[in-house]
Amino acid sequence: MDLRGKNVVVTGGNSGIGFVTARELAMGGARVTLACRNVGAAGAAAAEIARATGNGSVGVVRLDLASFASARACADELGAKLDHIDVLVNNAGTYTQGDETTADGIHPTMQTNYFGPYLLTRLLMPLIEAAPAARIVNVSSAMYAVGKLDLSRPSFLTARNGFSAYAASKLATILFTQELARRAAASRATANVLHPGLVDTKIMTLRKWYDIFIRAYVDRHSVDVETGARTSIFLASSDAVEGVSGQYFVDCAERDPRLSRRATAMRESLWARTAEIVGLPAD
Ligand SMILES: NC(=O)c1ccc[n+]([C@@H]2O[C@H](COP(=O)([O-])OP(=O)(O)OC[C@H]3O[C@@H](n4cnc5c(N)ncnc54)[C@H](OP(=O)(O)O)[C@@H]3O)[C@@H](O)[C@H]2O)c1
């Protein structure tokens, strides 16, 4: 895809994989908007991207995915700035410990990684469908494979520790992408989902004593952030995936996520229950 002049939005584009994704798409000539919770950090990142790429079309909007009000305000702000979106990269994500809930009553990891991106994406669909052939790129994680969802429980979680919430949020991201792709099939918009690999970024910050074991593993097995951003950049811009939708990618290649029959069966009800919780109609 020729990125020149394309409207690209990258959530969490101030840091880690999102920063490199935004920078490389700007390098290709896209008009990039970083949607971030810390507008100071995002402004500094935008300036750095502009300096590194010579592309001055790098803007910032505020987005706290752990707040439904902020996701709605962000969609409004993007609607006021852009008449269409060619690429939306739902990259922002978190991993929190503890049992707290957000002001919306959701587990913070579930809201940041799943409910928030769901709400934002659905609110942006009119802008996305206004583009000739838009792409939605959702960043999941291989941790989805151990994720469990129970739609009858608060935040859909079967256990409320950080690890379970993270894995569940990434499973929900895959199911959301598949259902979104199915629903968007009538338009020319596509939606795909990816695992970036194990990357030593801020999300890997130690939180508990036993995280030292994770740290040791990360030190041995992680790839650098440039490599970690490759699949996001590929899905956002490569001609090789034109028209491809609803697929899961690792290392720039399609993979079967091998979802359980139980998980696949809940795709439509997950969509509908989530819509209810974020305050949108199911269709
Ligand atoms: N690193 C890995 O090994 C790995 C593996 C699999 C999947 N992933 C996924 O890759 C994505 C990018 O993560 P990363 O590794 O690049 O980590 P990172 O450097 O920590 O970047 C995460 C980004 O998400 C933003 N974010 C966190 N909470 C937010 C909120 N409530 N509202 C808006 N933005 C928020 C962060 O903003 P702040 O700068 O303000 O904190 C940051 O910009 C995430 O979805 C992560 O789950 C990473």
Side-chain angles (χ1 to χ4, degrees):
M1 186 209 287
D2 182 359
L3 285 167
R4 281 173 301 177
K6 295 284 192 301
N7 289 333
V8 171
V9 177
V10 182
T11 70
N14 61 294
S15 163
I17 296 164
F19 175 78
V20 174
T21 303
R23 189 195 66 208
E24 291 308 302
L25 298 177
M27 188 69 95
R31 293 149 45 101
V32 176
T33 304
L34 312 180
C36 302
R37 64 176 163 179
N38 180 336
V39 286
E48 197 180 328
I49 290 172
R51 205 168 37 243
T53 62
N55 180 345
S57 298
V58 187
V60 169
V61 291
R62 185 173 147 66
L63 169 67
D64 180 356
L65 286 162
S67 154
F68 293 154
S70 176
R72 287 181 177 278
C74 178
D76 288 346
E77 193 178 346
L78 287 168
K81 283 188 176 181
L82 306 172
D83 61 2
H84 70 278
I85 292 175
D86 297 287
V87 179
L88 169 65
V89 186
N90 282 312
N91 160 82
T94 196
Y95 176 94
T96 58
Q97 289 290 352
D99 193 29
E100 74 275 35
T101 53
T102 66
D104 298 301
I106 314 275
H107 189 286
T109 298
M110 263 314 258
Q111 186 161 347
T112 303
N113 297 2
Y114 171 63
F115 286 93
Y118 174 101
L119 175 59
L120 180 70
T121 305
R122 285 207 50 198
L123 292 173
L124 292 178
M125 281 317 283
L127 288 180
I128 289 167
E129 290 181 341
R135 298 181 182 196
I136 300 162
V137 178
N138 291 338
V139 180
S140 178
S141 160
M143 297 306 300
Y144 80 83
V146 290
K148 290 194 173 62
L149 295 164
D150 182 339
L151 303 189
S152 68
R153 297 212 196 182
S155 306
F156 305 155
L157 295 177
T158 56
R160 294 186 64 85
N161 62 71
F163 182 81
S164 299
Y166 185 79
S169 73
K170 295 303 187 179
L171 172 59
T173 301
I174 294 191
L175 295 171
F176 166 51
T177 309
Q178 292 177 334
E179 185 60 14
L180 180 63
R182 190 181 74 76
R183 287 169 181 258
S187 74
R188 293 205 60 213
T190 62
N192 290 293
V193 61
L194 68 107
H195 167 58
L198 183 63
V199 192
D200 191 1
T201 58
K202 196 153 55 70
I203 210 168
M204 295 293 175
T205 306
L206 296 182
R207 292 170 184 87
K208 297 264 180 168
W209 67 266
Y210 49 75
D211 284 352
I212 54 172
F213 299 112
I214 298 177
R215 167 54 42 205
Y217 186 82
V218 170
D219 287 345
R220 295 240 312 265
H221 298 284
S222 61
V223 296
D224 64 32
V225 71
E226 306 287 329
T227 307
R230 267 190 212 153
T231 306
S232 296
I233 298 162
F234 172 77
L235 288 176
S237 61
S238 172
D239 290 338
V241 284
E242 203 178 306
V244 174
S245 196
Q247 303 306 317
Y248 172 64
F249 285 77
V250 183
D251 290 336
C252 302
E254 215 173 295
R255 291 265 180 91
D256 181 351
R258 295 173 184 275
L259 297 179
S260 68
R261 217 174 294 161
R262 186 180 168 277
T264 305
M266 73 168 58
R267 215 159 53 196
E268 278 182 53
S269 39
L270 175 68
W271 176 282
R273 272 293 289 140
T274 307
E276 226 173 90
I277 289 169
V278 302
L280 290 175
D283 295 306

